[in-house]
Amino acid sequence: MKEINLTVNNRPYRLIVLPHRTLLEVIREDLGLTGTKEGCGLGECGACTILLDGKAVNSCLVLAAEADGKEVTTIEGLADGDKLHPVQQAFVEHGGLQCGFCTPGMIMSAKALLDENPTPTEEEIKQAIAGNLCRCTGYTKIIESIKAAAENMGGK
Ligand code: FES
Ligand code: FES
């Protein structure tokens, strides 16, 4: 057992975790934040993507103990009250989702990209979401959504 301190969506948590538990398990099971999805559990699908100290990571590959002292952002942390984050809004308006299973991870990867590079090229968008698999959309609408989000955010 190890005590860890995490800030998740700007809220501080002190948790006791077993050494083998992943950050994904702790986020979903201990904190009840089930917006982050578990697909493969092996680092291959990107459904579990969150931001760890601002960087997009597969939370199924991070041990909770390794995240001690770090800042986590999940999909639940993006909206501002009832107002969707511009990336979420763009996915809704531009058909960037169908079944929605890949969507939280896809949006977190897109957010990490736009935070670092507010005016990405199509190639940079493709690279940023290369680790996020979608079985439904064929990716075109996802790429359009991320482009629209970048425009709506005005390069900020
Ligand atoms: S569940 Fe983490 S990459 Fe698939
Ligand atoms: S919308 Fe269904 S997997 Fe992407």
Side-chain angles (χ1 to χ4, degrees):
M1 292 287 209
K2 178 173 160 59
E3 180 179 301
I4 60 167
N5 290 288
L6 290 178
T7 304
V8 182
N9 301 333
N10 294 321
R11 271 183 63 179
Y13 291 89
R14 179 170 299 173
L15 301 159
I16 307 289
V17 296
L18 287 166
H20 64 271
R21 294 194 81 214
T22 66
L23 186 54
L24 173 62
E25 288 169 335
V26 167
I27 288 170
R28 286 182 54 88
E29 295 164 15
D30 298 14
L31 305 185
L33 297 171
T34 54
T36 304
K37 302 301 178 208
E38 175 161 18
C40 63
L42 298 169
E44 287 169 6
C45 73
C48 65
T49 305
I50 55 141
L51 304 189
L52 189 61
D53 283 349
K55 300 277 177 223
V57 299
N58 290 326
S59 59
C60 70
L61 294 185
V62 179
L63 291 173
E66 289 177 289
D68 185 25
K70 298 196 173 169
E71 193 157 324
V72 172
T73 308
T74 71
I75 191 73
E76 289 89 347
L78 295 198
D80 181 8
D82 287 344
K83 195 167 177 288
L84 292 178
H85 183 278
V87 179
Q88 293 174 304
Q89 188 64 38
F91 270 67
V92 172
E93 286 174 6
H94 295 267
L97 65 149
Q98 287 182 24
C99 81
F101 191 79
C102 71
T103 311
M106 204 60 92
I107 287 177
M108 297 316 287
S109 290
K111 180 177 177 350
L113 168 68
L114 297 180
D115 285 349
E116 203 175 289
N117 175 4
T119 55
T121 62
E122 182 160 329
E123 207 37 55
E124 287 168 335
I125 292 173
K126 284 183 183 166
Q127 274 173 22
I129 60 166
N132 294 85
L133 302 185
C134 177
R135 293 183 168 195
C136 306
T137 63
Y139 300 97
T140 309
K141 299 274 186 195
I142 290 174
I143 294 164
E144 274 174 29
S145 301
I146 298 171
K147 278 187 195 164
E151 278 167 29
N152 292 341
M153 289 163 79
K156 280 184 219 128

